[in-house]
Amino acid sequence: MITSLFVLLPFLFASYFLASFPQSPVNVVHPSLASLPSTSPSWDIYPDDFYPGGAYASLPHGKVRYWFLGPEDGHKVVLIHGLSIPSIIWKDVAPLLATKGYRVLLYDLYGRGYSDAPHVKYDVLLHTTQLALLMQHVNWNGADIVGVSMGGGIATAFSHHFPSLVNGKVALIAPAGIIELNDISRTAKFMSSPFVQTLSALPPFQHYIRHLANPSESSPPNPILEIVRLQSAHLPYYNAAVASCLRDGPIRGLQTSFEALSESGNEVLLIHGTADRTVPYKYASKIRSIIPHAALVTIMDGGHDITVTHEDEVSGALLKFLGDSKLNIQ
């Protein structure tokens, strides 16, 4: 009898845990830069009113910070930033588009800048539905879509999943989306591994990162690099969000979305620098092999952050593309 009971107990315990009803799901949302004190350097470099016309949208996965620039009756354009740098990356391009009469919508992706960081997988679905819900929130039925780096991957997937919200033009600046595994650095792969992410969440590691993020007094900080360091040091889920984007997000695997964009009837513009080490220039040719009608603007010696380093060339190409003029394919 006792022997039978010992044999039966493990089965009973297993049956209980397998059959028990799960607890209510918990919607964990981590804070954004808005949670930092006003004395934080982030408020000097990239305050939440960095652009005029800012507001927060309360969406299912958390609050999203967005801004409007340009006249209300202007031609609608959405700008999508990339993996690690929030909408400050458009600091030169967005105001110029606005002064030329475009109605520009910018926003911070989940886990970056002033948008909340939900504790979820940062996959393509999260990023495309974020924009779709934001456009619904601001009562936009459609817009032309512009994305840089990972934002280019999001723009491509968005045009695939929500074609009715695209007004006919998609511009991709140094776009991710079909990056091969060999072109992602070993450091990025290592830092985005689950083990390293678990380790980096520990208090000693967080303290060390905050120490590294203290600005140097010997030289003025680069605002673009500084905002990355500040997010990494002070936002509890920023590193995990970036890591999840690298593993699960719109960096790779979007071949089908690029093919759908090719068949969609949308006009497509590619802008890419020849010295880009993050998304090598060869991907411009790979994308054009998928989208033969895409116009290509090549920026000689341009690196990955060409919206900042070559803002005049980028803005000029966008204005020509978004306007009535046709670009000559190079």
Side-chain angles (χ1 to χ4, degrees):
M1 180 66 179
I2 296 177
T3 303
S4 300
L5 184 61
F6 276 110
V7 172
L8 190 60
L9 277 176
F11 174 77
L12 292 174
F13 274 113
S15 298
Y16 171 78
F17 284 113
L18 290 173
S20 62
F21 201 76
Q23 295 182 353
S24 299
V26 178
N27 183 24
V28 178
V29 177
H30 299 278
S32 69
L33 287 176
S35 66
L36 300 185
S38 59
T39 55
S40 169
S42 62
W43 286 95
D44 295 327
I45 297 171
Y46 181 53
D48 71 347
D49 61 353
F50 187 81
Y51 301 104
Y56 286 93
S58 294
L59 302 183
H61 283 298
K63 291 183 179 180
V64 172
R65 182 65 176 176
Y66 67 93
W67 301 265
F68 280 125
L69 284 78
E72 292 187 9
D73 60 349
H75 185 97
K76 295 182 177 67
V77 180
V78 175
L79 302 182
I80 311 172
H81 68 76
L83 175 67
S84 57
I85 304 168
S87 286
I88 191 176
I89 199 70
W90 300 110
K91 65 183 182 68
D92 299 306
V93 175
L96 180 59
L97 292 179
T99 61
K100 296 298 183 180
Y102 291 90
R103 182 65 165 172
V104 180
L105 171 62
L106 309 95
Y107 68 103
D108 284 343
L109 296 172
Y110 283 127
R112 269 58 59 108
Y114 288 95
S115 290
D116 286 343
H119 197 107
V120 297
K121 182 185 292 186
Y122 282 67
D123 57 10
V124 174
L125 182 61
L126 177 74
H127 291 95
T128 55
T129 54
Q130 180 188 8
L131 177 54
L133 290 171
L134 178 60
M135 290 179 67
Q136 181 186 54
H137 177 81
V138 300
N139 295 315
W140 276 24
N141 295 321
D144 289 334
I145 311 296
V146 180
V148 60
S149 189
M150 188 183 77
I154 296 170
T156 302
F158 182 81
S159 70
H160 181 196
H161 298 154
F162 300 95
S164 64
L165 296 179
V166 181
N167 279 351
K169 295 185 179 183
V170 178
L172 309 174
I173 305 171
I178 56 171
I179 295 179
E180 298 168 0
L181 194 59
N182 291 338
D183 284 321
I184 299 177
S185 71
R186 293 180 180 178
T187 300
K189 293 174 187 174
F190 176 74
M191 293 302 296
S192 64
S193 68
F195 170 75
V196 172
Q197 287 304 305
T198 300
L199 186 65
S200 65
L202 298 175
F205 189 89
Q206 288 291 308
H207 178 77
Y208 177 67
I209 291 295
R210 292 191 183 101
H211 173 73
L212 292 180
N214 291 331
S216 172
E217 297 179 357
S218 59
S219 59
N222 178 323
I224 300 298
L225 297 179
E226 194 65 20
I227 202 65
V228 172
R229 294 199 300 173
L230 289 167
Q231 290 177 112
S232 179
H234 297 287
L235 297 187
Y237 207 67
Y238 169 80
N239 293 320
V242 170
S244 183
C245 285
L246 287 169
R247 294 194 311 270
D248 315 306
I251 301 292
R252 303 176 292 141
L254 294 183
Q255 175 83 17
T256 301
S257 290
F258 277 97
E259 292 171 353
L261 179 58
S262 178
E263 298 169 0
S264 67
N266 289 311
E267 294 181 50
V268 180
L269 170 66
L270 294 173
I271 306 175
H272 215 129
T274 59
D276 192 331
R277 292 186 175 183
T278 303
V279 182
Y281 182 70
K282 67 180 181 181
Y283 286 105
S285 298
K286 289 180 180 292
I287 291 173
R288 286 194 65 204
S289 70
I290 305 171
I291 313 175
H293 69 274
L296 172 62
V297 172
T298 297
I299 297 182
M300 299 304 298
D301 299 322
H304 192 58
D305 296 334
I306 50 177
T307 59
V308 175
T309 60
H310 295 72
E311 67 276 10
D312 291 339
E313 294 172 76
V314 171
S315 299
L318 287 176
L319 288 170
K320 193 173 183 181
F321 174 68
L322 296 171
D324 296 329
S325 300
K326 296 290 185 180
L327 283 173
N328 293 321
I329 295 178
Q330 300 177 10

